[in-house]
Amino acid sequence: MRDRNPAPAAGPFSKAALAQEDMLQLAAKKLRGKIVMETGEKVPGWLPVGGVKPLRLSGDQAAELVRTFPPKATLPAATALIYTTSGDIVPGELKSFDSAGLEFASSVTEVKRFPATSIQALQLGGTRPSGLSGFNSPEWRLLKGSEKDTDRTENSLTLEPGATIGNASALESNEISFSFSERNSFATLRLRLFSNGTDASPSTALLLANFGDSFYAGLETAEGQMNQRAEIPIFRGKPTAVRLVFSEKDVELFVNGAPTEKFPIDPAKRAGAGLILEVGSLWGNTPRKVQIENFASAASFGARTLADVPAETRRQALTVPRFRRENLPRHMLLAMNGDLLRGEIQALTSTHFAFRAGLEELRIPRDRVKAAIWLKKPEPGAPKPAAAESPLQKTLQRKLREQIHYTDANLTTLLSVIRQQAPQLKITAPKDPDFNSEMPFGDQSIGQALEQIAGLFNLRMRVVEPDTVILEQGVSTNADLVTRAYWLKEAAFPAEGSPKEILAAKGAAFAKEASASWDPAGRQLIVINAPGNFLALEEVLTRDFGGSLGSPTHWFQLTSGARLGMAVERFAADAVTGSHSLYGRCEIP
């Protein structure tokens, strides 16, 4: 007799045991083992599972090493983080402020003075979330419906149809877990994953449904329709344990402890760390109330949580009245509750911000401020605001007029649906491949449906004004490109002009999808290019741009939420030491 809810295998090489090991990722391969820090060299070591002697990582291939900490490990959080224009996030303690910059005591960097030109933002207060348990936290907000449509306790949540709740930072986590109550009968829960705060668009919608003795899960493609459906037998009248484990590209579903399915996450629909819960329906069934229990979210080390700012508040705060165009606000304060205030920081003490907003002089308690953001004037040559939407863009954003579900259709058949509803589009595509696919049409826009069709048949979609959509073979070559940064000795690039075009004119070679960006404050050039093109690029930098001071050899993501690139000199048991062109000597515990 087959166990319908098998327990995961135990032992030193079981999934549970391997999940407690560190991880080495090389391209698409993930290996488990232990990071060995005390090599005394410029690279760390790696001890594979079952290995006896650590291996030395060569450094010739880009690799990511991820440390695994015990579930209840307590590590110190930074009291403040500085976000710099070069992409680093430096941990420390804010000492003083003036118009020229910040005095910042950091145990990681030698430099303690950060000029205003190199600062993007300052985050204050606890920088690492502590995780979630239950639904009584004030971070959960009722987004739709009324309080009578919900019943929230420390351990359970009941949602009536039409009620929606959300949490802006619930997915600052590697996983969440909860139980689908045994009282659910033909009930469907929609989870909107990785929303921008509590704004549902864009996000990835995952449907979970309890239909008696079967549990269904899948990504929602249209209202009440699933793609890549999983069906799991369960015991009627018993709660169903659900666990979702998140990685960069997918979410893995575990049901009653057993791995069930992996669902891909579209990067374009990964807008933030928000989670929204609402009643859904599946295959036309009447929406029924949903009950879940024992919700838990363990915060990831290195997560950085800010207050949720509603979309309309952001829009108003970033709109500058015409009469202020010549006197732009210099700073914006983000409050703990998500309010925004723009103006200029005059001074800062251990207890207050002295802040001028318009003609008002304000004293704002420091403990009410979550972050301060430096507002920059647009750079000369910066992209202009987008023009009004073209007729082609409006067509692609239009919703489909009817619902159709194909279970086994070829490319030509699926595209015929789009051609019928948008005859003005000129759609070109390769000949039908030798396989068919399932495709639901319904609540998507025309553009979303075309993107889904392209994904089903491994095609790339291009939009060409004024009226053409091209589906073609071949995927993006970004996977073949690598990123390198150079700290240049001189301010090499003018304010106007593209660094990529300037370098190409001097003889540097670039792949089709390569890019180059320049940070003048940090004198840092970041290039994404094919590996074989960097030698010629470095020759151009030496010959025509004054040469470089070197490059960061490693990037470090700290448990406090800080992030730092540096040229490593030595990995040791107590610290990693190295240098940075702006921060001087660096030492990471």
Side-chain angles (χ1 to χ4, degrees):
M1 181 176 179
R2 183 172 176 264
D3 186 354
R4 296 204 287 181
N5 294 285
F13 299 108
S14 67
K15 276 198 170 185
L18 291 175
Q20 302 306 311
E21 301 284 341
D22 299 334
M23 185 177 72
L24 166 64
Q25 182 159 350
L26 292 165
K29 296 179 180 179
K30 295 181 179 180
L31 307 173
R32 291 288 182 173
K34 291 292 183 187
I35 302 170
V36 179
M37 303 294 283
E38 53 271 21
T39 62
E41 301 181 29
K42 293 184 178 182
V43 292
W46 177 254
L47 182 64
V49 171
V52 176
K53 184 178 179 181
L55 305 172
R56 183 182 185 276
L57 297 178
S58 69
D60 293 335
Q61 185 177 0
E64 181 179 2
L65 290 164
V66 182
R67 210 171 190 178
T68 300
F69 294 93
K72 296 185 179 181
T74 55
L75 297 170
T79 59
L81 297 172
I82 288 182
Y83 294 68
T84 71
T85 56
S86 60
D88 297 310
I89 304 173
V90 182
E93 182 180 356
L94 180 62
K95 293 298 185 182
S96 65
F97 167 90
D98 58 40
S99 60
L102 298 174
E103 292 288 342
F104 195 74
S106 175
S107 61
V108 172
T109 64
E110 178 183 29
V111 170
K112 307 299 181 187
R113 176 79 183 176
F114 289 78
T117 54
S118 70
I119 301 171
Q120 286 191 320
L122 170 69
Q123 183 176 347
L124 301 171
T127 56
R128 179 153 42 80
S130 57
L132 284 171
S133 178
F135 295 95
N136 277 349
S137 166
E139 295 175 7
W140 288 104
R141 290 174 48 197
L142 181 63
L143 305 180
K144 291 182 183 178
S146 62
E147 290 293 346
K148 66 181 178 61
D149 298 321
T150 67
D151 183 14
R152 283 189 281 170
T153 71
E154 183 62 36
N155 294 317
S156 67
L157 167 70
T158 301
L159 289 176
E160 296 288 347
T164 303
I165 70 166
N167 187 304
S169 58
L171 299 190
E172 288 280 11
S173 170
N174 290 330
E175 65 177 67
I176 61 173
S177 61
F178 56 89
S179 294
F180 217 76
S181 172
E182 72 276 7
R183 293 185 295 276
N184 291 323
S185 178
F186 288 88
T188 302
L189 174 68
R190 179 185 291 112
L191 297 88
R192 297 193 183 274
L193 306 173
F194 300 109
S195 60
N196 184 6
T198 50
D199 182 1
S201 181
S203 60
T204 296
L206 177 67
L207 294 177
L208 303 176
N210 183 339
F211 277 23
D213 57 1
S214 292
F215 190 81
Y216 294 94
L219 296 182
E220 187 174 31
T221 54
E223 180 70 33
Q225 302 296 326
M226 286 182 174
N227 185 22
Q228 194 181 333
R229 184 182 77 195
E231 180 179 356
I232 307 100
I234 57 174
F235 289 107
R236 188 187 296 265
K238 290 189 176 182
T240 303
V242 174
R243 184 162 69 100
L244 298 175
V245 179
F246 306 107
S247 65
E248 181 180 355
K249 297 181 180 180
D250 55 44
V251 53
E252 184 172 10
L253 170 68
F254 292 76
V255 176
N256 290 332
T260 301
E261 188 69 67
K262 278 189 177 182
F263 300 105
I265 299 293
D266 182 353
K269 295 183 179 180
R270 193 165 186 153
L275 172 65
I276 298 173
L277 304 177
E278 58 192 11
V279 174
S281 65
L282 190 58
W283 305 317
N285 286 281
T286 302
R288 298 171 180 261
K289 73 177 179 181
V290 172
Q291 296 171 286
I292 63 176
E293 300 166 339
N294 303 317
F295 181 92
S297 166
S300 301
F301 292 115
R304 301 175 298 275
T305 301
L306 290 174
D308 181 30
V309 181
E312 180 60 19
T313 302
R314 284 199 305 273
R315 188 192 67 78
Q316 291 180 2
L318 295 173
T319 302
V320 180
R322 188 177 300 278
F323 71 88
R324 291 214 59 186
R325 295 292 169 87
E326 301 305 317
N327 184 24
L328 295 172
R330 298 183 62 185
H331 305 105
M332 186 181 291
L333 299 185
L334 170 62
M336 294 289 186
N337 64 357
D339 288 344
L340 295 171
L341 179 66
R342 62 187 184 185
E344 185 173 349
I345 301 172
Q346 302 290 307
L348 179 62
T349 70
S350 60
T351 58
H352 284 80
F353 280 87
F355 194 79
R356 185 175 66 187
L359 299 178
E360 289 188 83
E361 302 284 345
L362 306 173
R363 291 181 75 249
I364 301 172
R366 186 164 158 172
D367 60 6
R368 293 185 185 177
V369 177
K370 186 68 174 177
I373 300 138
W374 271 243
L375 303 176
K376 310 288 186 181
K377 289 185 179 180
E379 297 288 343
K384 295 181 179 179
E389 290 179 350
S390 67
L392 174 57
Q393 293 297 330
K394 290 180 179 178
T395 298
L396 293 175
Q397 292 176 13
R398 196 177 72 217
K399 292 286 187 181
L400 293 167
R401 294 191 297 268
E402 56 184 324
Q403 293 194 358
I404 311 170
H405 192 149
Y406 289 92
T407 58
D408 187 34
N410 61 22
L411 177 61
T412 299
T413 300
L414 298 180
L415 290 179
S416 69
V417 177
I418 305 298
R419 290 187 172 108
Q420 289 172 4
Q421 299 205 27
Q424 69 272 36
L425 287 182
K426 296 177 181 177
I427 303 173
T428 64
K431 67 177 183 179
D432 288 336
D434 57 0
F435 64 92
N436 294 346
S437 186
E438 178 181 3
M439 174 71 188
F441 293 92
D443 196 42
Q444 317 103 303
S445 67
I446 290 172
Q448 289 171 336
L450 282 166
E451 288 175 350
Q452 284 179 243
I453 293 170
L456 291 172
F457 292 94
N458 301 315
L459 301 174
R460 179 172 58 182
M461 174 176 151
R462 288 195 295 122
V463 177
V464 181
E465 296 286 356
D467 56 5
T468 302
V469 175
I470 301 173
L471 301 183
E472 57 191 355
Q473 298 288 351
V475 297
S476 170
T477 59
N478 282 341
D480 301 324
L481 304 182
V482 296
T483 302
R484 290 189 187 176
Y486 299 92
W487 296 319
L488 301 190
K489 295 178 181 178
E490 303 169 4
F493 294 91
E496 297 185 8
S498 160
K500 178 181 174 182
E501 293 174 358
I502 293 170
L503 289 164
K506 299 286 187 180
F510 287 94
K512 181 179 178 181
E513 298 185 10
S515 65
S517 60
W518 170 245
D519 168 33
R523 297 199 308 277
Q524 179 169 280
L525 174 71
I526 297 180
V527 178
I528 302 174
N529 207 348
N533 290 340
F534 283 100
L535 184 59
L537 170 67
E538 290 163 7
E539 290 176 355
V540 170
L541 293 177
T542 301
R543 185 187 69 224
D544 298 315
F545 293 90
S548 74
L549 297 170
S551 298
T553 59
H554 297 76
W555 279 264
F556 295 87
Q557 174 74 56
L558 278 61
T559 57
S560 63
R563 183 179 64 215
L564 189 69
M566 70 180 189
V568 171
E569 297 170 2
R570 184 169 178 263
F571 281 87
D574 57 342
V576 183
T577 55
S579 61
H580 189 284
S581 63
L582 285 181
Y583 317 133
R585 185 166 182 78
C586 300
E587 184 174 284
I588 298 177

Short mmCIF file of all heavy atoms in Angstrom, two decimals, residues 541-581:
data_model
loop_
_atom_site.label_atom_id
_atom_site.label_comp_id
_atom_site.label_asym_id
_atom_site.label_seq_id
_atom_site.Cartn_x
_atom_site.Cartn_y
_atom_site.Cartn_z
N LEU A 541 41.43 50.87 -21.30
CA LEU A 541 41.42 51.62 -20.03
C LEU A 541 42.82 52.09 -19.67
O LEU A 541 43.01 53.21 -19.18
CB LEU A 541 40.84 50.75 -18.91
CG LEU A 541 39.35 50.39 -19.01
CD1 LEU A 541 38.94 49.48 -17.86
CD2 LEU A 541 38.48 51.64 -19.03
N THR A 542 43.82 51.24 -19.89
CA THR A 542 45.21 51.61 -19.58
C THR A 542 45.72 52.68 -20.54
O THR A 542 46.37 53.66 -20.13
CB THR A 542 46.10 50.37 -19.64
OG1 THR A 542 45.62 49.41 -18.70
CG2 THR A 542 47.54 50.73 -19.30
N ARG A 543 45.44 52.52 -21.82
CA ARG A 543 46.00 53.42 -22.85
C ARG A 543 45.32 54.79 -22.87
O ARG A 543 45.98 55.82 -22.99
CB ARG A 543 45.85 52.75 -24.21
CG ARG A 543 46.50 53.53 -25.36
CD ARG A 543 46.16 52.88 -26.70
NE ARG A 543 44.74 53.06 -27.02
CZ ARG A 543 43.97 52.09 -27.51
NH1 ARG A 543 44.45 50.87 -27.70
NH2 ARG A 543 42.71 52.33 -27.80
N ASP A 544 43.97 54.81 -22.72
CA ASP A 544 43.24 56.05 -22.97
C ASP A 544 42.53 56.63 -21.75
O ASP A 544 42.02 57.76 -21.83
CB ASP A 544 42.19 55.81 -24.06
CG ASP A 544 42.81 55.42 -25.39
OD1 ASP A 544 43.80 56.06 -25.79
OD2 ASP A 544 42.31 54.46 -26.02
N PHE A 545 42.47 55.90 -20.64
CA PHE A 545 41.68 56.38 -19.50
C PHE A 545 42.47 56.41 -18.19
O PHE A 545 41.88 56.40 -17.12
CB PHE A 545 40.42 55.53 -19.35
CG PHE A 545 39.46 55.68 -20.49
CD1 PHE A 545 39.53 54.86 -21.60
CD2 PHE A 545 38.49 56.67 -20.46
CE1 PHE A 545 38.66 55.02 -22.65
CE2 PHE A 545 37.60 56.82 -21.52
CZ PHE A 545 37.69 56.00 -22.63
N GLY A 546 43.78 56.41 -18.25
CA GLY A 546 44.58 56.56 -17.05
C GLY A 546 44.78 55.32 -16.22
O GLY A 546 45.42 55.36 -15.17
N GLY A 547 44.24 54.17 -16.67
CA GLY A 547 44.42 52.93 -15.92
C GLY A 547 43.49 52.82 -14.73
O GLY A 547 42.74 53.73 -14.40
N SER A 548 43.55 51.67 -14.06
CA SER A 548 42.68 51.42 -12.92
C SER A 548 43.49 51.10 -11.67
O SER A 548 44.66 50.75 -11.74
CB SER A 548 41.72 50.26 -13.22
OG SER A 548 42.39 49.03 -13.19
N LEU A 549 42.82 51.22 -10.53
CA LEU A 549 43.42 50.88 -9.24
C LEU A 549 43.16 49.42 -8.88
O LEU A 549 43.45 49.01 -7.77
CB LEU A 549 42.84 51.79 -8.14
CG LEU A 549 43.14 53.28 -8.30
CD1 LEU A 549 42.31 54.09 -7.30
CD2 LEU A 549 44.62 53.55 -8.09
N GLY A 550 42.63 48.69 -9.82
CA GLY A 550 42.29 47.29 -9.57
C GLY A 550 40.79 47.09 -9.66
O GLY A 550 40.03 47.96 -10.10
N SER A 551 40.36 45.95 -9.20
CA SER A 551 38.94 45.58 -9.26
C SER A 551 38.57 44.83 -7.99
O SER A 551 39.42 44.19 -7.37
CB SER A 551 38.66 44.67 -10.46
OG SER A 551 38.95 45.32 -11.67
N PRO A 552 37.29 44.93 -7.58
CA PRO A 552 36.85 44.06 -6.48
C PRO A 552 36.92 42.60 -6.92
O PRO A 552 36.47 42.25 -8.01
CB PRO A 552 35.41 44.51 -6.23
CG PRO A 552 34.99 45.21 -7.48
CD PRO A 552 36.22 45.79 -8.09
N THR A 553 37.54 41.78 -6.09
CA THR A 553 37.66 40.36 -6.43
C THR A 553 36.48 39.55 -5.90
O THR A 553 36.20 38.47 -6.41
CB THR A 553 38.95 39.77 -5.84
OG1 THR A 553 38.93 39.94 -4.40
CG2 THR A 553 40.18 40.47 -6.41
N HIS A 554 35.82 40.05 -4.86
CA HIS A 554 34.69 39.34 -4.26
C HIS A 554 33.64 40.36 -3.82
O HIS A 554 33.97 41.50 -3.49
CB HIS A 554 35.12 38.54 -3.01
CG HIS A 554 36.10 37.45 -3.29
ND1 HIS A 554 37.43 37.68 -3.52
CD2 HIS A 554 35.94 36.10 -3.36
CE1 HIS A 554 38.06 36.53 -3.73
NE2 HIS A 554 37.18 35.56 -3.63
N TRP A 555 32.39 39.93 -3.83
CA TRP A 555 31.30 40.70 -3.23
C TRP A 555 30.77 39.92 -2.04
O TRP A 555 30.56 38.70 -2.13
CB TRP A 555 30.18 40.94 -4.24
CG TRP A 555 30.46 42.06 -5.19
CD1 TRP A 555 30.04 43.36 -5.10
CD2 TRP A 555 31.22 41.99 -6.41
NE1 TRP A 555 30.49 44.09 -6.17
CE2 TRP A 555 31.22 43.28 -6.99
CE3 TRP A 555 31.90 40.97 -7.06
CZ2 TRP A 555 31.86 43.58 -8.18
CZ3 TRP A 555 32.55 41.26 -8.25
CH2 TRP A 555 32.53 42.55 -8.79
N PHE A 556 30.50 40.64 -0.95
CA PHE A 556 30.06 39.99 0.29
C PHE A 556 28.68 40.52 0.68
O PHE A 556 28.45 41.72 0.72
CB PHE A 556 31.04 40.30 1.43
CG PHE A 556 32.40 39.71 1.22
CD1 PHE A 556 33.37 40.42 0.51
CD2 PHE A 556 32.73 38.46 1.71
CE1 PHE A 556 34.63 39.89 0.30
CE2 PHE A 556 33.99 37.92 1.49
CZ PHE A 556 34.93 38.64 0.79
N GLN A 557 27.76 39.59 0.96
CA GLN A 557 26.46 39.93 1.51
C GLN A 557 26.50 39.58 3.00
O GLN A 557 26.66 38.41 3.36
CB GLN A 557 25.35 39.13 0.83
CG GLN A 557 23.97 39.30 1.42
CD GLN A 557 23.37 40.66 1.08
OE1 GLN A 557 23.26 41.00 -0.07
NE2 GLN A 557 22.98 41.42 2.10
N LEU A 558 26.39 40.60 3.87
CA LEU A 558 26.52 40.38 5.30
C LEU A 558 25.18 40.08 5.93
O LEU A 558 24.12 40.41 5.40
CB LEU A 558 27.16 41.61 5.97
CG LEU A 558 28.68 41.73 5.90
CD1 LEU A 558 29.18 41.81 4.46
CD2 LEU A 558 29.17 42.95 6.67
N THR A 559 25.21 39.45 7.10
CA THR A 559 23.97 39.09 7.78
C THR A 559 23.19 40.31 8.24
O THR A 559 21.99 40.23 8.47
CB THR A 559 24.27 38.21 9.02
OG1 THR A 559 25.15 38.92 9.89
CG2 THR A 559 24.89 36.90 8.60
N SER A 560 23.84 41.47 8.37
CA SER A 560 23.17 42.69 8.80
C SER A 560 22.38 43.35 7.68
O SER A 560 21.66 44.32 7.91
CB SER A 560 24.20 43.70 9.32
OG SER A 560 25.10 44.06 8.27
N GLY A 561 22.51 42.85 6.45
CA GLY A 561 21.90 43.49 5.30
C GLY A 561 22.89 44.31 4.51
O GLY A 561 22.56 44.81 3.44
N ALA A 562 24.12 44.46 5.01
CA ALA A 562 25.15 45.20 4.28
C ALA A 562 25.64 44.39 3.09
O ALA A 562 25.51 43.17 3.05
CB ALA A 562 26.31 45.53 5.22
N ARG A 563 26.24 45.10 2.13
CA ARG A 563 26.77 44.46 0.93
C ARG A 563 28.00 45.26 0.49
O ARG A 563 27.95 46.48 0.40
CB ARG A 563 25.71 44.47 -0.18
CG ARG A 563 26.15 43.76 -1.46
CD ARG A 563 25.04 43.79 -2.48
NE ARG A 563 24.72 45.14 -2.91
CZ ARG A 563 23.50 45.57 -3.22
NH1 ARG A 563 22.48 44.76 -3.10
NH2 ARG A 563 23.31 46.80 -3.63
N LEU A 564 29.09 44.55 0.22
CA LEU A 564 30.35 45.26 -0.02
C LEU A 564 31.20 44.49 -1.02
O LEU A 564 31.33 43.27 -0.93
CB LEU A 564 31.11 45.39 1.31
CG LEU A 564 32.34 46.27 1.32
CD1 LEU A 564 31.95 47.73 1.15
CD2 LEU A 564 33.11 46.10 2.62
N GLY A 565 31.77 45.20 -1.98
CA GLY A 565 32.75 44.61 -2.87
C GLY A 565 34.14 45.08 -2.47
O GLY A 565 34.33 46.24 -2.12
N MET A 566 35.13 44.18 -2.48
CA MET A 566 36.49 44.59 -2.14
C MET A 566 37.50 43.66 -2.79
O MET A 566 37.17 42.54 -3.20
CB MET A 566 36.69 44.65 -0.63
CG MET A 566 36.69 43.33 0.09
SD MET A 566 36.94 43.58 1.88
CE MET A 566 37.18 41.90 2.43
N ALA A 567 38.73 44.17 -2.89
CA ALA A 567 39.83 43.35 -3.38
C ALA A 567 40.42 42.61 -2.19
O ALA A 567 41.07 43.19 -1.32
CB ALA A 567 40.89 44.25 -4.02
N VAL A 568 40.16 41.30 -2.13
CA VAL A 568 40.54 40.51 -0.96
C VAL A 568 42.04 40.27 -0.94
O VAL A 568 42.66 39.95 -1.96
CB VAL A 568 39.79 39.17 -0.95
CG1 VAL A 568 40.33 38.24 0.13
CG2 VAL A 568 38.30 39.40 -0.74
N GLU A 569 42.62 40.42 0.25
CA GLU A 569 44.03 40.08 0.46
C GLU A 569 44.20 38.75 1.17
O GLU A 569 45.15 38.01 0.91
CB GLU A 569 44.70 41.19 1.28
CG GLU A 569 44.71 42.55 0.58
CD GLU A 569 45.15 43.66 1.50
OE1 GLU A 569 45.48 43.37 2.68
OE2 GLU A 569 45.13 44.83 1.07
N ARG A 570 43.22 38.41 2.07
CA ARG A 570 43.42 37.20 2.87
C ARG A 570 42.11 36.74 3.50
O ARG A 570 41.37 37.54 4.07
CB ARG A 570 44.43 37.50 3.98
CG ARG A 570 44.82 36.31 4.83
CD ARG A 570 46.02 36.69 5.70
NE ARG A 570 46.42 35.61 6.57
CZ ARG A 570 46.04 35.48 7.84
NH1 ARG A 570 45.26 36.40 8.38
NH2 ARG A 570 46.46 34.45 8.57
N PHE A 571 41.81 35.45 3.35
CA PHE A 571 40.74 34.80 4.11
C PHE A 571 41.37 34.16 5.35
O PHE A 571 42.33 33.40 5.23
CB PHE A 571 40.06 33.72 3.27
CG PHE A 571 39.07 34.25 2.27
CD1 PHE A 571 39.47 34.65 1.01
CD2 PHE A 571 37.72 34.35 2.61
CE1 PHE A 571 38.56 35.15 0.09
CE2 PHE A 571 36.80 34.84 1.69
CZ PHE A 571 37.22 35.24 0.43
N ALA A 572 40.84 34.48 6.52
CA ALA A 572 41.38 33.92 7.77
C ALA A 572 40.22 33.48 8.66
O ALA A 572 39.05 33.74 8.37
CB ALA A 572 42.24 34.96 8.48
N ALA A 573 40.57 32.82 9.76
CA ALA A 573 39.54 32.25 10.63
C ALA A 573 38.68 33.33 11.27
O ALA A 573 37.48 33.12 11.48
CB ALA A 573 40.20 31.41 11.72
N ASP A 574 39.25 34.51 11.57
CA ASP A 574 38.51 35.54 12.28
C ASP A 574 37.98 36.64 11.39
O ASP A 574 37.04 37.35 11.75
CB ASP A 574 39.38 36.16 13.38
CG ASP A 574 40.67 36.75 12.82
OD1 ASP A 574 41.04 36.39 11.69
OD2 ASP A 574 41.30 37.57 13.50
N ALA A 575 38.55 36.83 10.20
CA ALA A 575 38.11 37.94 9.35
C ALA A 575 38.62 37.77 7.93
O ALA A 575 39.60 37.06 7.69
CB ALA A 575 38.60 39.28 9.92
N VAL A 576 37.93 38.44 7.01
CA VAL A 576 38.40 38.57 5.63
C VAL A 576 38.91 40.00 5.48
O VAL A 576 38.18 40.95 5.79
CB VAL A 576 37.27 38.31 4.62
CG1 VAL A 576 37.81 38.37 3.19
CG2 VAL A 576 36.61 36.97 4.88
N THR A 577 40.13 40.18 5.03
CA THR A 577 40.71 41.51 4.91
C THR A 577 40.97 41.84 3.45
O THR A 577 41.21 40.95 2.63
CB THR A 577 42.02 41.62 5.70
OG1 THR A 577 42.91 40.59 5.25
CG2 THR A 577 41.79 41.48 7.18
N GLY A 578 40.92 43.13 3.14
CA GLY A 578 41.15 43.58 1.78
C GLY A 578 41.11 45.08 1.70
O GLY A 578 41.30 45.78 2.70
N SER A 579 40.83 45.62 0.50
CA SER A 579 40.83 47.07 0.31
C SER A 579 39.76 47.46 -0.69
O SER A 579 39.28 46.65 -1.48
CB SER A 579 42.20 47.55 -0.17
OG SER A 579 42.52 46.95 -1.42
N HIS A 580 39.40 48.74 -0.64
CA HIS A 580 38.43 49.32 -1.56
C HIS A 580 38.93 50.71 -1.94
O HIS A 580 39.51 51.41 -1.11
CB HIS A 580 37.06 49.42 -0.88
CG HIS A 580 35.93 49.79 -1.79
ND1 HIS A 580 35.72 51.08 -2.23
CD2 HIS A 580 34.93 49.04 -2.34
CE1 HIS A 580 34.66 51.10 -3.01
NE2 HIS A 580 34.17 49.89 -3.10
N SER A 581 38.69 51.11 -3.18
CA SER A 581 39.22 52.39 -3.65
C SER A 581 38.65 53.58 -2.88
O SER A 581 39.31 54.61 -2.73
CB SER A 581 38.93 52.56 -5.14
OG SER A 581 37.54 52.61 -5.38
#
